[in-house]
Amino acid sequence: HKRWKNKIEKAVPEFLRDLATSIRTGMPIQAALENASKRMYGPLTDELRLMVAHMSWGMNFDEALKKLSERIDLQLVKKATVLILEASRHGGDLSDIFDSTAEYVENVNTWGLRRR
C-alpha cells in the first residue's frame, strides 16, 4: 500500500501539469481528462479512467474529482482536490489552477523527502 501511495503522490504533479497544458491548448476539461487517462501515471491511470467513465455517465467534473479523491484516500490528494474545487468555484483559468496545484503537490512531496 505504501508503494502504491508513493507512486500516486509522485504522479499527481505530472498529471496536473499535463492537464493544464491540454486545457491551455483549448481542449475542454473532459477531453483533456480522456487524453490524460491514456497516458501512464502508474496506479493513478486506473483511477483516471474510472473518473472519465463517471463523467461520460453524466457526472460533472466537481463530483467526479470528489469521488476520485475519496477512492484514492490520500491526504495530499484530498488537499489538492479542495484547492482545485475552491479555485474553480471562485473563477479563474483552469490551466493556472492546475499548474499552481501541481507546484504545491510537488513542494509537499519534496518537503516530505527532506524530512525523511
Side-chain angles (χ1 to χ4, degrees):
H1 181 69
K2 187 169 181 124
R3 278 182 275 166
W4 178 84
K5 173 185 164 184
N6 288 337
K7 286 179 182 178
I8 286 185
E9 286 178 345
K10 287 180 184 176
V12 167
E14 182 183 350
F15 158 68
L16 291 173
R17 283 200 179 92
D18 289 346
L19 201 56
T21 302
S22 296
I23 291 171
R24 203 171 280 122
T25 62
M27 247 186 228
I29 186 73
Q30 187 159 353
L33 282 168
E34 285 178 30
N35 188 31
S37 71
K38 295 175 185 170
R39 296 186 180 158
M40 291 307 300
Y41 299 109
L44 182 61
T45 303
D46 293 332
E47 299 298 331
L48 291 175
R49 288 182 183 142
L50 192 54
M51 182 179 178
V52 168
H54 283 212
M55 289 179 69
S56 71
W57 297 334
M59 193 178 282
N60 68 28
F61 173 71
D62 291 354
E63 293 171 350
L65 188 60
K66 286 178 189 175
K67 290 277 188 195
L68 174 79
S69 176
E70 290 169 6
R71 279 194 315 273
I72 293 177
D73 196 31
L74 296 174
Q75 195 64 31
L76 185 60
V77 174
K78 287 181 180 182
K79 289 178 183 179
T81 300
V82 169
L83 282 172
I84 292 168
L85 292 176
E86 287 301 315
S88 65
R89 187 173 297 134
H90 294 292
D93 185 19
L94 275 178
S95 60
D96 290 338
I97 292 168
F98 289 127
D99 271 335
S100 45
T101 305
E103 187 176 333
Y104 166 75
V105 171
E106 201 166 57
N107 286 336
V108 170
N109 285 340
T110 302
W111 296 332
L113 283 174
R114 286 181 183 168
R115 203 170 358 118
R116 273 184 248 144

